[in-house]
Amino acid sequence: MNTRAMGNPDRASLGGEKVEVSILIPVGDFYDNLAETHASFRASCRSLGRSYEFIYVVRGDHPSLQKTLQLLEQEPEVRILQVPRTYNESFALNEGLRMARGQVVLTLPAYDTVVPEALADLVMALDDGTDCAVAVRAQRRDPLFNRIQAWVFHALVSRVAGRPLRDITNGAQAIRGEVARRLTLYGEQHRYVPILLLARGCSLKEVEVAQSPRERKLRMFGPRIYINRLLDLAAIFFLLRFTQRPLRFFGVFGAGFGVFGLAICAVVSYQKLFGGQSLADRPALLLGVLLIVLGLQTGSLGLLGELMVHLEAQRTEEPGATEEITPSPGAGTEPPPAGG
Amino acid sequence: MQDNPEKANSNSGESPWISVVIPFYNEEANVRPVIEEVMEVLTGMGRTFEILAVDDGSSDDTLSRLRSIKAAHREVRLLRMRRNSGQTAAMQAGFQACRGRVVISMDGDGQNDPIAIPLLIERLEAGHDLVCGWRHQRQDRLVTRKIPSWIANRLIGFLTGVPIHDNGCSLKAYDARLLRRLRLYSDQHRFIPALSSLAGARITEVKVPHRARMAGESKYGLSRTYKVLLDVITLVMLRSALNRPSRAFMIPGLLLGMAGLLAVLAGVVSSLQTGSSLVVLSGAGFLLLFAAGNFLTLGLLAELARNKAGSLARPGRRMA
């Protein structure tokens, strides 16, 4: 593994014991005053009265951060992992999740989005057995443009997730440890963790928290970023619905293209053969032929997909899709049947 | 029933002889009658058994009723899908958890009469790995259920080479060793005979009684027609591609290529003889040639995918 742990990634002081809360903070391209952020999160954490650890996953070299990091690693509860820049954010989050030992894993952004007090609310939201609690910034006061684009984005996100999600971009979410450690993220999936958890049947709730008063920056991006987000969502939509049955997707589109193309070609050929209309300047012919080709190719990609899925299914089981309800005396919610 | 496990499952460490897997999805009214009926039949057989009830993420009272039944009967085991995952996933979960040497699957809607279970097991022990129920005098709607199902069964039988009359009947008996080599996903519960045949199983069928729904609503409709069609195409592909992936795609590719060449040739000849335009025939020929190229390269990709998967636990018959 090309990662490098600073400090003591497996601190003796924690003795490999379970801690109650793992706070996971990926540090990537954007970060605000890290020392200050850490101090306020730590204060909030202490007030919670649970054992905790901080995990910083630092992606890339940040000379300006070295001093802060050296200070942080003096603290016994802090573990720092450095990963090279060439790995993406999902990889960094993945590594962090593998390191986390807490019963609850709380991911927080390295920049200001929510107030530090939110931390306690999120952790406590899992006390009733919920698998995941996502922070929702209430009464946002950042620029209107930010809020409008967030609204549009989340309208799409809700469509893909199949239930309303109001704010998955603030980076603050608490996940039950065993659920979090089973996640495997790649690509841009770190942004869509709540959707992925919902797809696995995890229970999720949204917790309203105050927005950090320091989050005032206008977040306007280049067109590339917006296009990327749309493509991410399309990929996740596909994965959620067709991972086990690619031909349902490719087959329908392929058949549609193919039939349309055949119909065009049939009409054009009929007119040529029986109507004497020349084919020479009929762009419809070109369209028809290309549609047949497209349909054929789409359909056969679907077949290849089915083959791959089938081969993969013979080797693996989907983790955590079921649970056996183990015997426990008096577990029944109804009285035992009378006719015994 | 409670005081009747005899020596049966008193020793929970020992594997039962029969496992019955029953998925339930929003069947609160049927849970108790179905399980009790099954228990009665199994108890009468005098063999050790377990019943695996799988709750497929029901939104009604199904789960809590299952819990109370489970609390009262130690032969009942309860699995819960974290979300509604479909009948196949629920059945597969049950198959993976069951411990019996003989496994029975059936619907949770009460339409399968468990009275047929001894008969199924008898046929299984006569030297089969899979015994399929064949719903006799099926009690369903004619136009939306029975006719489509008749067509589908004929089609599946013809295309997969396993002429079973009733693929859709959940009441089946399996040799547990067969199940260990099946991994069902998507909506493959409809194709268990065909998939088992791929895994080398000896298959037979038995007529079983069928009843109208006791209570609750049917979860099926005609909307699944296109899904079944696409799934059949997948099965046909798997049947040839699992063993010889490149050949499975490249033979059709070669045939298409030859047809394409012939079409182009015919176009040229006819245009030389009659002076007619080349475009239609040669255009069709080019299309066929393109299709050929597509399938030839796809065959190589399939070979690659198959190669990466390593050995599958499914060649020939290794049942003994």
Side-chain angles (χ1 to χ4, degrees):
Chain A
M1 188 63 57
N2 245 332
T3 53
R4 176 178 47 155
M6 278 175 64
N8 326 328
D10 296 302
R11 286 224 185 238
S13 61
L14 287 167
E17 279 168 35
K18 290 273 178 212
V19 291
E20 281 169 291
V21 184
S22 295
I23 294 150
L24 175 56
I25 305 182
V27 184
D29 302 330
F30 306 105
Y31 44 85
D32 291 325
N33 189 335
L34 209 57
E36 210 174 292
T37 310
H38 177 75
S40 56
F41 281 146
R42 191 184 51 201
S44 172
C45 209
R46 286 194 176 142
S47 70
L48 192 61
R50 301 190 189 185
S51 61
Y52 64 90
E53 62 177 357
F54 274 86
I55 299 170
Y56 284 90
V57 185
V58 183
R59 197 169 61 88
D61 295 318
H62 301 283
S64 60
L65 271 183
Q66 283 313 310
K67 226 172 169 181
T68 317
L69 290 176
Q70 276 163 13
L71 271 175
L72 285 181
E73 67 168 335
Q74 305 299 319
E75 292 183 28
E77 297 89 2
V78 174
R79 301 154 78 196
I80 297 173
L81 183 74
Q82 292 209 316
V83 299
R85 254 204 87 80
T86 43
Y87 292 122
N88 61 17
E89 289 172 67
S90 279
F91 177 85
L93 192 60
N94 228 359
E95 290 298 291
L97 290 172
R98 296 290 166 279
M99 279 173 74
R101 293 169 298 188
Q103 292 161 2
V104 169
V105 178
L106 179 68
T107 71
L108 291 172
Y111 40 88
D112 302 313
T113 57
V114 295
V115 293
E117 292 74 43
L119 186 156
D121 292 343
L122 285 170
V123 171
M124 285 190 295
L126 299 192
D127 286 347
D128 62 359
T130 307
D131 294 315
C132 174
V134 183
V136 175
R137 286 167 285 187
Q139 293 162 3
R140 291 178 65 158
R141 275 162 310 199
D142 51 334
L144 185 66
F145 180 78
N146 289 7
R147 282 178 277 162
I148 291 174
Q149 70 182 7
W151 186 84
V152 173
F153 178 69
H154 285 95
L156 291 172
V157 163
S158 303
R159 260 288 160 79
V160 173
R163 64 157 271 181
L165 287 171
R166 284 180 288 164
D167 189 5
I168 64 169
T169 50
N170 59 55
Q173 57 208 354
I175 310 170
R176 263 198 312 128
E178 68 232 54
V179 175
R181 281 182 281 273
R182 270 206 299 258
L183 275 173
T184 45
L185 307 171
Y186 66 87
E188 296 290 305
Q189 290 179 344
H190 60 281
R191 293 177 207 282
Y192 307 99
V193 168
I195 305 183
L196 299 175
L197 290 176
L198 280 174
R200 292 180 174 210
C202 295
S203 51
L204 179 144
K205 63 183 171 191
E206 297 185 305
V207 178
E208 289 208 356
V209 299
Q211 186 179 25
S212 168
R214 283 180 296 196
E215 186 179 24
R216 282 291 153 81
K217 225 179 277 169
L218 177 69
R219 298 200 194 280
M220 194 183 283
F221 307 100
R224 222 180 70 188
I225 299 284
Y226 293 109
I227 291 169
N228 284 346
R229 293 293 167 277
L230 280 179
L231 293 179
D232 295 347
L233 276 176
I236 286 185
F237 179 83
F238 174 77
L239 280 181
L240 256 46
R241 278 167 187 70
F242 300 104
T243 301
Q244 288 199 328
R245 50 203 76 161
L247 195 62
R248 297 259 175 96
F249 178 84
F250 291 106
V252 166
F253 279 96
F257 291 139
V259 167
F260 192 31
L262 277 174
I264 292 177
C265 286
V267 169
V268 174
S269 306
Y270 178 84
Q271 289 170 345
K272 155 80 185 162
L273 291 174
F274 301 102
Q277 195 173 352
S278 166
L279 277 177
D281 56 350
R282 303 289 311 261
L285 178 71
L286 210 58
L287 177 68
V289 169
L290 283 178
L291 275 174
I292 295 175
V293 165
L294 184 62
L296 189 75
Q297 190 143 49
T298 311
S300 51
L301 278 179
L303 281 181
L304 189 69
E306 288 282 352
L307 180 64
M308 287 163 59
V309 167
H310 184 85
L311 291 169
E312 189 60 23
Q314 307 310 305
R315 298 190 300 172
T316 52
E317 303 150 26
E318 200 174 321
T322 45
E323 60 179 349
E324 175 152 12
I325 295 174
T326 44
S328 60
T333 49
E334 285 173 40
Chain B
M1 250 178 283
Q2 258 166 299
D3 45 357
N4 202 11
E6 297 170 344
K7 309 161 269 185
N9 286 11
S10 54
N11 186 352
S12 59
E14 224 166 86
S15 294
W17 182 268
I18 307 170
S19 296
V20 182
V21 174
I22 318 176
F24 292 96
Y25 175 55
N26 288 350
E27 296 284 2
E28 54 182 11
N30 290 320
V31 163
R32 187 174 294 280
V34 166
I35 292 185
E36 286 183 347
E37 208 177 23
V38 172
M39 288 189 83
E40 207 174 295
V41 171
L42 292 177
T43 312
M45 289 182 70
R47 285 196 164 151
T48 55
F49 66 88
E50 64 177 359
I51 296 176
L52 280 115
V54 187
D55 171 50
D56 187 11
S58 298
S59 52
D60 65 357
D61 210 23
T62 300
L63 182 63
S64 69
R65 291 191 190 194
L66 283 172
R67 275 185 205 271
S68 76
I69 293 173
K70 180 194 155 44
H73 303 282
R74 75 178 101 195
E75 298 92 344
V76 177
R77 292 168 68 196
L78 179 51
L79 295 173
R80 183 181 78 107
M81 309 301 287
R82 286 184 189 279
R83 57 176 298 202
N84 177 235
S85 316
Q87 193 176 351
T88 301
M91 278 172 80
Q92 177 65 32
F95 288 160
Q96 253 162 275
C98 67
R99 299 169 302 176
R101 299 177 59 173
V102 167
V103 182
I104 308 282
S105 67
M106 58 187 286
D107 277 334
D109 60 8
Q111 290 194 268
N112 296 134
D113 191 339
I115 202 85
I117 291 178
L119 182 62
L120 291 176
I121 293 180
E122 190 184 298
R123 294 299 296 273
L124 198 69
E125 293 187 321
H128 294 101
D129 306 308
L130 170 65
V131 183
C132 304
W134 172 9
R135 285 168 291 184
H136 198 47
Q137 291 167 350
R138 197 172 156 189
Q139 305 294 316
D140 274 321
R141 283 173 188 278
L142 182 68
V143 178
T144 55
R145 299 290 301 277
K146 290 212 271 194
I147 291 178
S149 150
W150 186 84
I151 298 172
N153 281 313
R154 278 303 173 92
L155 188 71
I156 294 170
F158 174 71
L159 290 173
T160 62
V162 187
I164 291 287
H165 287 90
D166 188 1
N167 284 279
C169 179
S170 296
L171 186 57
K172 292 185 170 77
Y174 315 77
D175 187 311
R177 288 167 295 187
L178 167 66
L179 286 184
R180 256 173 254 139
R181 302 202 271 118
L182 282 187
R183 286 268 185 280
L184 307 175
Y185 59 90
S186 184
D187 288 331
Q188 289 181 337
H189 62 274
R190 297 189 195 109
F191 304 105
I192 290 174
L195 288 163
S196 303
S197 148
L198 282 182
R202 290 158 292 183
I203 305 169
T204 187
E205 63 184 340
V206 169
K207 283 189 184 172
V208 297
H210 189 246
R211 304 178 291 201
R213 233 171 195 286
M214 291 187 197
E217 281 176 14
S218 172
K219 292 6 174 229
Y220 294 127
L222 270 182
S223 64
R224 59 201 168 126
T225 310
Y226 84 94
K227 299 178 183 171
V228 175
L229 271 177
L230 290 171
D231 287 355
V232 169
I233 294 174
T234 298
L235 264 181
V236 171
M237 181 274 295
L238 287 178
R239 198 176 152 207
S240 53
L242 280 179
N243 288 327
R244 304 186 177 83
S246 53
R247 215 197 280 176
F249 288 100
M250 288 170 97
I251 296 240
L254 287 176
L255 292 176
L256 286 169
M258 284 186 325
L261 280 178
L262 277 179
V264 174
L265 215 67
V268 171
V269 168
S270 80
S271 94
L272 285 180
Q273 279 179 348
T274 64
S276 69
S277 157
L278 256 175
V279 181
V280 172
L281 265 179
S282 63
F286 293 149
L287 241 182
L288 288 168
L289 283 172
F290 175 87
N294 186 52
F295 278 110
L296 289 175
T297 47
L298 204 70
L300 294 177
L301 217 56
E303 189 76 31
L304 187 69
R306 175 67 190 83
N307 185 268
K308 287 280 170 205
S311 78
L312 305 176
R314 61 178 353 168
R317 179 178 300 161
R318 235 190 276 147
M319 304 301 292

